[in-house]
């Protein structure tokens, strides 16, 4: 599979495509990917496939079948399962992906919905399609105050659209009208960070991804060291942080930028950090 940058024009095309599907098939209800499979004669099976994939779209004799891995998505109705199914529907609905499978040029390939750092373009495209299929922009705008990104806004979006906290966080941060960034610290050791364009415009581009590089008494460290609540999220914690302690290439000194750091323990999944400019410093 080719690796290349997903350009802005291509992103707009995929967003428009996904949201047109949502508006046509589910104009006033939440989006159900399984209904889309039935409407497009795509068969589906849930089973335990170990660690092989979250989902996989297979084309055989010009018919399409999706495998969804219960060992990774937990249940057929979980937020992770919904995203996985939306992702695989993206592979079917995006012409170039479907035609490549129909032609036999590419085999069925495994997809992993939590690999936000993937540089495989078809996976980026299917992820973007899935995000906007499950939560179309116009509907998200009615549910989120983008001028005040917060943990509460993210949780509200997650609940309304039945998407993962991670997906909701990306949408809130990317849509925010103020500089902000998020970092997800997974319990398995994987870390990803994402600033929005406004944060990048003030020179804060690459968040640190090593816990031992952070201030010892920061909110993120405190949340990380908490015992996770088995029933859900712990209470968020806040602290003030110098930008130089959180971003690579940003050095302490005169004109230091200060950030409001809010962190929350996401049960046994890991820890999430939201960073935005401190309003009073």
């Amino acid at each position: 599979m080719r690796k290349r940058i997903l350009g802005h024009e291509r992103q707009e095309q995929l967003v428009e495509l996904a949201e047109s599907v949502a508006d046509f098939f589910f104009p006033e209800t939440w989006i159900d990917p399984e209904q889309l499979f039935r409407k497009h004669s795509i068969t589906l099976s849930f089973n335990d496939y170990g660690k092989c994939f979250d989902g996989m779209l297979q084309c055989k004799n010009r018919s399409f079948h999706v495998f969804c891995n219960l060992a990774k998505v937990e249940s057929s109705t979980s937020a992770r399962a919904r995203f996985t199914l939306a992702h695989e529907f993206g592979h079917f609905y995006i012409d170039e992906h479907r035609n490549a499978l129909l032609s036999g040029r590419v085999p069925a390939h495994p997809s992993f919905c939590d690999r936000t750092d993937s540089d495989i373009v078809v996976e980026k495209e299917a992820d973007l399609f899935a995000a906007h299929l499950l939560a179309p922009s116009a509907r998200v705008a009615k549910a989120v105050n983008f001028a005040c990104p917060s943990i509460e806004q993210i949780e509200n979006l997650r609940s309304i659209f039945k998407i993962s906290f991670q997906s909701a966080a990306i949408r809130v941060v990317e849509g925010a009208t103020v500089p902000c960034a998020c970092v997800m610290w997974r319990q398995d050791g994987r870390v990803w960070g994402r600033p929005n364009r406004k944060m990048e415009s003030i020179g804060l581009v690459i968040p640190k991804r090593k816990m031992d590089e952070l201030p010892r008494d920061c909110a993120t460290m405190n949340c990380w060291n908490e015992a996770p609540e088995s029933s859900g999220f712990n209470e968020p914690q806040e602290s003030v942080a110098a930008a130089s302690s959180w971003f690579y290439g940003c050095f302490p000194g005169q004109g230091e930028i200060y950030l409001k750091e809010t962190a929350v323990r996401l049960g046994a999944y890991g820890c999430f950090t939201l960073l935005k400019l401190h309003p009073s410093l």
Side-chain angles (χ1 to χ4, degrees):
M1 297 174 193
R2 289 187 299 163
K3 299 180 180 181
R4 59 179 172 82
I5 296 173
L6 184 55
H8 184 65
E9 183 177 350
R10 178 62 169 171
Q11 291 181 47
E12 289 183 337
Q13 292 172 351
L14 294 170
V15 168
E16 182 178 358
L17 180 66
E19 295 186 355
S20 67
V21 172
D23 291 340
F24 181 80
F25 290 103
F26 308 98
E28 297 180 354
T29 62
W30 69 285
I31 289 82
D32 182 0
E34 288 192 54
Q35 284 192 40
L36 289 174
F37 285 13
R38 290 191 289 271
K39 290 176 184 294
H40 291 82
S41 300
I42 303 170
T43 53
L44 169 66
S45 60
F46 291 96
N47 213 324
D48 187 331
Y49 301 105
K51 298 181 179 180
C52 297
F53 52 78
D54 284 17
M56 184 169 66
L57 176 67
Q58 180 185 69
C59 179
K60 189 174 183 179
N61 298 323
R62 301 190 68 80
S63 295
F64 289 89
H65 182 83
V66 168
F67 300 90
C68 191
N69 187 2
L70 291 175
K72 297 293 294 293
V73 304
E74 299 175 0
S75 77
S76 62
T77 58
S78 70
R80 184 162 178 165
R82 280 171 47 74
F83 189 89
T84 296
L85 296 182
H87 176 105
E88 298 308 324
F89 186 76
H91 283 314
F92 169 82
Y93 208 77
I94 298 169
D95 287 343
E96 295 87 347
H97 298 201
R98 181 183 64 256
N99 291 337
L101 287 168
L102 283 168
S103 71
R105 296 197 309 272
V106 298
H109 63 277
S111 297
F112 299 89
C113 69
D114 59 353
R115 294 186 179 176
T116 59
D117 57 349
S118 174
D119 58 359
I120 299 174
V121 71
V122 294
E123 293 303 294
K124 285 184 175 182
E125 291 186 347
D127 277 349
L128 182 62
F129 181 98
H132 285 267
L133 172 65
L134 296 176
S137 299
R139 304 185 203 187
V140 170
K142 294 179 180 179
V144 176
N145 179 358
F146 284 119
C148 300
S150 65
I151 300 293
E152 291 75 21
Q153 295 268 9
I154 294 168
E155 175 58 18
N156 184 53
L157 192 64
R158 182 202 67 79
S159 177
I160 291 172
F161 292 98
K162 297 180 174 62
I163 57 179
S164 69
F165 188 91
Q166 173 176 298
S167 295
I170 291 171
R171 296 298 294 279
V172 169
V173 168
E174 289 186 342
T177 58
V178 296
C180 64
C182 60
V183 183
M184 186 75 78
W185 312 85
R186 294 198 181 94
Q187 201 66 33
D188 61 11
R190 286 182 293 160
V191 180
W192 63 263
R194 184 167 302 194
N196 67 4
R197 292 183 180 179
K198 289 187 176 293
M199 189 69 106
E200 292 178 338
S201 71
I202 60 173
L204 304 182
V205 178
I206 306 176
K208 293 185 177 179
R209 301 184 182 187
K210 294 182 179 179
M211 191 72 72
D212 60 6
E213 293 180 326
L214 303 181
R216 292 186 178 182
D217 60 347
C218 70
T220 299
M221 288 287 284
N222 291 337
C223 283
W224 181 259
N225 291 328
E226 289 179 349
E229 294 285 348
S230 59
S231 59
F233 301 170
N234 289 34
E235 285 296 315
Q237 296 193 37
E238 295 183 351
S239 60
V240 177
S244 58
S245 68
W246 260 101
F247 284 83
Y248 297 113
C250 180
F251 303 100
Q254 189 174 7
E256 178 74 86
I257 298 172
Y258 287 90
L259 307 172
K260 180 180 179 181
E261 173 188 346
T262 307
V264 63
R265 191 64 148 103
L266 305 178
Y269 185 74
C271 183
F272 173 82
T273 306
L274 178 67
L275 300 165
K276 54 186 179 179
L277 295 185
H278 196 284
S280 61
L281 294 174

